[in-house]
Amino acid sequence: MDAINKFYSSVSQTVSTLSSVFLGNPLTKEYDIAEHIASAGSELVWKIYTGSKRSTKEPASIFVFDKKQLELFTKDEREDICDNIRRGVVQLTKIRHPQVLTVQHAMEESRDTIAFATEPVVASLANLLGNTTNVANTGLLSEYKLTEFDTKFGLFELLKGIQFLHDEAQLIHRNICTENIIVNKQGVWKLFGFGFCWSKRTPGTPVMNHYFKNRLLGNPGSKWTAPELILENSCNESTDIYSLGILIYTIYSRENIPSPDASMDLYGYKQSVTKLSNQGPPKLNAVPDALRAEVKRMLNVNPQSRPTLQSLTQISYFCDNYVQCLDNLETLFPKDNLEKSEFYKRLSQIIGEFPHRLRLYRILPSLVKEFVNCSMIPFVLTNILTITATCTQAEYMQHISSHLRPVMLLDEPVQIMLIFFQNLDVLLKVCPSEEVRASVLPLVYKALESKSQQIQELCLSIIPSLVVHLEKPTIKSGLVPRIKALCSGTNLVSVRVKCLLCLGQLATKIDKWVMIDDIVAYLPSVNCREPAVIMAIVGVYKITFVTEGLGIPKDVLACKVLPHLFPMTIVNGLSLQQFNAIIALIKEFTRKIEDEQGDKLGSKASVSTSTSNGSLKQQSPMPNDVQQSFGGLNLGMDVYGDFMQSTTATNNPPQQGQRTLTSPLQPAKPQIPIQPSSTLNWTVPPVAMTAKENSNKYNLFTQQQNTSLLSSTSTSTSASTSAMQLRKKDTPLALLPPPPQPSIAMPMSTGPTVPSAWVNHNGPPMSSNVIAPKRLEFTATAAPNPYGQLQPLIPTPSTRDSGKSSSSPMLSKEDIMEFLQK
């Protein structure tokens, strides 16, 4: 609350002060007047305020002369001084030149004040050199530092301004001093204080000689005035050259030339002037070497010995590249394009060596004028962006942004867009986020749709630094689709690789699911036959996988990523290092699937075991046939899960008192009881035969069996009896091993599983109380064959005579051995 009260009191005090100063002045109706910043004129009698025009909000400076300062003078003196001030403002209003202060609003006078409005200014040169008389706020003056180049070019501009007065306006200023040099906002030194100027157009007009009083208010000071004007009452062009010499000495030595006041000691003044002409001022060494001799000549008591303005502009001090460059820049606009282009090329080589204030306020206004000439924009734009690189955000938005926005929308010439993207990092540094979205983002969209490969690649390389200024919906719906469209539509490998790298660099700037759904899901559709493109895709996968907060889910890895990566490993052109990188990434992805899915299934198994602990206390061990077949693969029983449980349950019938678990959706299969023999031990050597040889032997065997059909009738009868006994004991049926045949796909049997121990004779020994029959046969009334289309090891002889037996007898061991021996 105290801060608010202080601010309110400060504002109220300022308003009351301004009201008292500008009381009744008509200028207050046109301009808003703010802060008192500087002073100017002889004895610094003019107060300078900041302001703006009410109708257009155009900034301005308000010069105010308060008549209360003349209270020490008589009425006639006050009137003479006011007339001199009015004459100077009127003369200033008539002159139009870059080195003369520009008047925006003519003089307005009230009973207490005289005021007029000019272009925005900083202060008078006297204020900047340390004389702050009649200045309320000196803080702004302390921040403004004159550099060596400011002084050099400022003096050069004064020479041109004085030369204009002498040659064109036919005026002699007669009062050149630090109080009458005004520095505007652009840093230009301008002439002011024309109250004592003398016109050369009327030769008969005598030069007015002023009485030098104790208080020299409104009169030219003797320390700045040429000796001939005081001693001889004469005036010519060299009069201003003498004053300019004193000005140069004062700027570099930071002190005035010691000389007595002519109004108090005229003889002493003559002696001082003669000594100054012969020996020079005491601190002449403070003046630069290239200018020192000329300053001494300018202070000569003889007007004819002084140098001319034309010769001064040609000395080496003013002929360096920087001064000449700025001088030509102001007169370059009317020249032809060829001459302009050569000048702007030379300017781009030295523009970085100019002071920042001079680049921003002096060079930039001249450059933006060329935006009306499209053919000159590429030459000018490079220099403007160099200036932009040293600006703050406030300076860019105030001085540059409004000029560059229309240029960003131009399509021709194509060099404009290329220059913008070569310096886009500069724009991103000085543009606020709102300005990036308003002006830079449309430029990026246009570049992605461009036909120039160089522009596309430059744009893609700068996009990752652009997204920090963009909102996430803009990235998802505006930027990413355009990059994907460019990647799919281009035939250039370099552009495609740049697109993929750009998408990968967006991983840290966007949401996880935008990365997964819009970028990772897009990668399989990219043409990836080139090694560079393949490695770019691998890089996108890798950065998505390892970036904190992103990661790729295991289902996306298994269904999309890995099926995409595996074919890449066999692409021609990959180096060993690239191949190893892809394989390493595949292993990393596979390891993640293994870990996550293993943990998931392990947690489910533990829940299932705890739930079924009351009904199934112990699972049956793995059957011996599976152990024999897959034991060498080092696969545990848990690998097979429920399949092994169903197999074990089938091969091990439930014991007495144990309930059999059956599925309600599958009907129970009829089982054919058979008594296995514990003495069955066949040693059949492997016979390697082709399919044709196997068919021939099978036909031969069939013919031999048909001849012995009658002798097998009794054997068949005993086999049927044994089969009936086996059915009563509910023993699983054992089939004889089939003969070696070519690999033919057989339909899966729907009957009970037969242990391989019957074939490999490596299973557990059979029970001793079971009598093994020599032959087995199936009767016609037996249950349907549960083995489907499964063929036995040895072909069964066909029964031609159906009347002798209703079943097909099986061969005994002796028959098989006899057959193999034949």
Side-chain angles (χ1 to χ4, degrees):
M1 196 66 182
D2 294 338
I4 297 177
N5 292 333
K6 289 181 180 180
F7 177 75
Y8 178 77
S9 62
S10 176
V11 172
S12 301
Q13 184 179 0
T14 302
V15 171
S16 62
T17 302
L18 292 177
S19 299
S20 62
V21 171
F22 292 95
L23 183 63
N25 196 296
L27 193 68
T28 58
K29 298 179 182 179
E30 301 288 337
Y31 286 84
D32 293 323
I33 303 171
E35 187 180 7
H36 179 201
I37 59 171
S39 59
S42 298
E43 300 296 325
L44 299 175
V45 295
W46 289 94
K47 295 181 179 180
I48 305 176
Y49 294 82
T50 59
S52 62
K53 193 170 184 177
R54 290 183 176 179
S55 59
T56 62
K57 303 301 179 182
E58 181 182 5
S61 290
I62 312 299
F63 283 68
V64 180
F65 172 71
D66 189 358
K67 295 180 181 180
K68 293 179 181 180
Q69 299 177 93
L70 304 178
E71 292 178 352
L72 299 179
F73 294 88
T74 64
K75 181 178 181 181
D76 294 337
E77 291 175 341
R78 288 199 297 268
E79 189 63 29
D80 290 341
I81 293 172
C82 288
D83 287 343
N84 182 64
I85 289 176
R86 295 187 193 100
R87 183 168 58 252
V89 176
V90 171
Q91 188 65 58
L92 179 66
T93 306
K94 294 179 181 179
I95 303 173
R96 289 288 184 269
H97 190 266
Q99 270 62 56
V100 177
L101 186 64
T102 303
V103 177
Q104 290 185 358
H105 190 89
M107 178 183 63
E108 299 283 359
E109 184 174 3
S110 64
R111 190 184 70 173
D112 296 325
T113 60
I114 298 175
F116 65 98
T118 69
E119 61 181 305
V121 303
V122 175
S124 65
L125 186 59
N127 296 153
L128 297 179
L129 292 176
N131 187 354
T132 57
T133 302
N134 212 10
V135 180
N137 184 7
T138 61
L140 297 177
L141 298 177
S142 61
E143 297 177 359
Y144 195 98
K145 302 297 181 182
L146 287 174
T147 64
E148 174 65 23
F149 189 84
D150 290 332
T151 303
K152 180 185 293 188
F153 195 69
L155 293 174
F156 183 76
E157 290 174 319
L158 286 181
L159 288 175
K160 294 195 299 180
I162 296 171
Q163 189 173 4
F164 165 78
L165 290 179
H166 293 175
D167 298 340
E168 304 294 335
Q170 294 293 306
L171 293 174
I172 297 176
H173 192 280
R174 293 204 311 160
N175 194 19
I176 296 176
C177 58
T178 56
E179 291 89 342
N180 287 330
I181 306 299
I182 307 297
V183 181
N184 70 357
K185 285 289 186 181
Q186 287 73 36
V188 182
W189 291 16
K190 299 204 171 189
L191 291 169
F192 175 68
F194 287 86
F196 298 102
C197 65
W198 178 72
S199 176
K200 295 168 58 179
R201 290 193 175 99
T202 55
T205 304
V207 178
M208 295 180 60
N209 193 7
H210 298 269
Y211 297 100
F212 296 95
K213 305 175 182 178
N214 293 333
R215 182 172 174 83
L216 300 178
L217 182 62
N219 296 312
S222 61
K223 60 183 178 181
W224 300 100
T225 307
E228 64 270 15
L229 183 61
I230 297 175
L231 300 177
E232 301 175 4
N233 198 21
S234 63
C235 179
N236 52 43
E237 294 179 355
S238 63
T239 302
D240 287 343
I241 296 177
Y242 183 92
S243 300
L244 186 60
I246 298 177
L247 176 69
I248 295 174
Y249 174 82
T250 304
I251 291 174
Y252 284 104
S253 65
R254 293 292 199 253
E255 67 177 27
N256 295 323
I257 295 178
S259 61
D261 188 357
S263 62
M264 302 293 296
D265 185 5
L266 186 59
Y267 178 78
Y269 173 78
K270 292 181 180 179
Q271 296 294 327
S272 174
V273 170
T274 304
K275 183 178 179 180
L276 180 67
S277 176
N278 296 330
Q279 300 178 3
K283 290 186 177 181
L284 189 61
N285 291 334
V287 181
D289 295 340
L291 194 59
R292 191 177 303 158
E294 298 299 327
V295 170
K296 188 175 181 180
R297 291 179 59 200
M298 293 167 72
L299 297 179
N300 197 302
V301 70
N302 185 6
Q304 286 74 22
S305 300
R306 299 167 191 164
T308 62
L309 292 173
Q310 183 67 29
S311 62
L312 286 174
T313 57
Q314 297 176 357
I315 63 177
S316 60
Y317 182 74
F318 298 115
C319 290
D320 65 348
N321 292 332
Y322 304 102
V323 173
Q324 296 300 320
C325 178
L326 287 182
D327 184 38
N328 294 333
L329 183 63
E330 297 177 353
T331 59
L332 188 67
F333 185 74
K335 298 181 180 180
D336 59 87
N337 290 344
L338 180 60
E339 191 172 356
K340 289 180 181 179
S341 62
E342 293 296 331
F343 174 80
Y344 291 131
K345 288 178 182 178
R346 293 193 303 269
L347 177 62
S348 63
Q349 299 173 0
I350 63 173
I351 191 172
E353 301 176 16
F354 287 99
H356 172 67
R357 183 175 64 246
L358 190 144
R359 290 198 302 260
L360 188 62
Y361 292 104
R362 298 292 300 276
I363 300 178
L364 180 65
S366 299
L367 296 179
V368 296
K369 294 178 182 178
E370 294 291 348
F371 281 163
V372 297
N373 187 357
C374 292
S375 59
M376 286 291 102
I377 292 179
F379 301 96
V380 174
L381 190 58
T382 302
N383 294 291
I384 292 178
L385 292 175
T386 303
I387 299 174
T388 304
T390 58
C391 290
T392 62
Q393 284 191 358
E395 290 173 340
Y396 173 79
M397 295 301 297
Q398 181 180 357
H399 301 284
I400 303 178
S401 174
S402 59
H403 300 294
L404 287 187
R405 277 191 180 187
V407 180
M408 291 181 180
L409 303 177
L410 298 177
D411 294 326
E412 295 294 337
V414 71
Q415 290 84 359
I416 295 177
M417 192 179 299
L418 182 61
I419 293 172
F420 269 123
F421 279 103
Q422 288 174 341
N423 300 272
L424 194 57
D425 55 337
V426 173
L427 293 177
L428 295 178
K429 184 182 70 173
V430 298
C431 288
S433 298
E434 298 79 8
E435 181 68 14
V436 171
R437 292 191 289 269
S439 59
V440 179
L441 188 58
L443 181 65
V444 172
Y445 288 164
K446 186 167 64 173
L448 292 176
E449 299 169 358
S450 173
K451 303 298 182 182
S452 173
Q453 174 187 356
Q454 189 175 5
I455 292 176
Q456 291 172 349
E457 293 183 359
L458 284 173
C459 178
L460 291 170
S461 63
I462 207 69
I463 284 177
S465 58
L466 172 69
V467 294
V468 297
H469 302 277
L470 304 180
E471 299 175 350
K472 291 181 179 180
T474 303
I475 299 173
K476 179 181 179 181
S477 60
L479 196 58
V480 172
R482 285 178 169 85
I483 298 175
K484 290 160 56 177
L486 176 60
C487 183
S488 301
T490 185
N491 294 325
L492 300 172
V493 175
S494 60
V495 175
R496 185 169 295 159
V497 170
K498 285 279 188 179
C499 290
L500 294 172
L501 294 178
C502 181
L503 292 174
Q505 290 173 326
L506 296 180
T508 58
K509 312 285 193 314
I510 59 180
D511 292 333
K512 173 179 179 179
W513 295 112
V514 175
M515 190 70 188
I516 300 299
D517 297 340
D518 293 346
I519 296 179
V520 173
Y522 162 74
L523 295 179
S525 63
V526 179
N527 183 8
C528 58
R529 304 307 301 175
E530 299 84 3
V533 179
I534 290 176
M535 298 314 297
I537 293 174
V538 170
V540 177
Y541 281 140
K542 180 71 174 179
I543 195 172
T544 308
F545 184 74
V546 302
T547 300
E548 184 178 358
L550 293 181
I552 306 177
K554 66 178 186 299
D555 54 340
V556 177
L557 288 176
C559 300
K560 295 182 180 179
V561 178
L562 288 177
H564 184 211
L565 286 176
F566 272 113
M568 293 182 183
T569 59
I570 59 173
V571 171
N572 295 330
L574 287 178
S575 64
L576 179 60
Q577 184 179 4
Q578 293 170 340
F579 172 79
N580 291 334
I582 301 174
I583 292 298
L585 189 63
I586 290 175
K587 290 180 180 179
E588 197 170 350
F589 290 167
T590 308
R591 191 177 302 111
K592 178 179 180 180
I593 297 174
E594 178 184 357
D595 294 342
E596 293 187 3
Q597 190 68 9
D599 293 343
K600 177 181 177 182
L601 296 178
S603 62
K604 286 185 176 180
S606 61
V607 173
S608 175
T609 303
S610 61
T611 304
S612 61
N613 191 28
S615 58
L616 297 176
K617 296 295 185 181
Q618 183 178 1
Q619 293 183 350
S620 300
M622 182 182 293
N624 291 332
D625 56 346
V626 178
Q627 292 179 0
Q628 291 294 330
S629 301
F630 300 101
L633 300 179
N634 296 323
L635 299 176
M637 181 177 177
D638 294 339
V639 178
Y640 303 98
D642 296 338
F643 169 74
M644 294 311 305
Q645 296 179 16
S646 62
T647 305
T648 306
T650 304
N651 293 333
N652 296 276
Q655 299 178 359
Q656 186 177 2
Q658 184 177 359
R659 185 177 60 182
T660 305
L661 301 178
T662 59
S663 174
L665 300 178
Q666 296 180 355
K669 300 293 182 178
Q671 298 192 7
I672 301 175
I674 185 170
Q675 258 184 334
S677 174
S678 61
T679 61
L680 187 61
N681 186 11
W682 298 347
T683 302
V684 182
V687 181
M689 292 181 295
T690 62
K692 184 175 181 180
E693 293 174 349
N694 189 25
S695 177
N696 294 336
K697 290 187 178 183
Y698 176 77
N699 295 333
L700 179 60
F701 173 76
T702 304
Q703 293 175 4
Q704 293 174 355
Q705 291 300 319
N706 289 336
T707 58
S708 59
L709 182 61
L710 295 177
S711 62
S712 63
T713 305
S714 60
T715 305
S716 176
T717 304
S718 63
S720 299
T721 306
S722 301
M724 293 300 293
Q725 294 176 358
L726 291 173
R727 278 193 219 88
K728 294 179 181 180
K729 294 184 178 294
D730 295 331
T731 304
L733 180 61
L735 291 179
L736 296 176
Q741 295 183 5
S743 299
I744 301 176
M746 294 295 182
M748 184 61 70
S749 171
T750 58
T753 306
V754 180
S756 62
W758 292 88
V759 179
N760 296 334
H761 53 78
N762 292 325
M766 300 300 173
S767 178
S768 60
N769 59 356
V770 179
I771 301 173
K774 292 184 178 181
R775 291 191 181 89
L776 300 178
E777 69 173 358
F778 299 103
T779 60
T781 60
N785 183 8
Y787 302 96
Q789 301 297 325
L790 190 63
Q791 298 295 330
L793 177 62
I794 304 299
T796 305
S798 60
T799 305
R800 296 181 184 272
D801 190 0
S802 59
K804 294 181 180 181
S805 176
S806 61
S807 61
S808 299
M810 297 295 292
L811 296 178
S812 65
K813 176 181 177 181
E814 291 80 2
D815 295 334
I816 294 174
M817 296 304 296
E818 183 182 357
F819 167 74
L820 293 176
Q821 290 175 1
K822 292 180 180 181

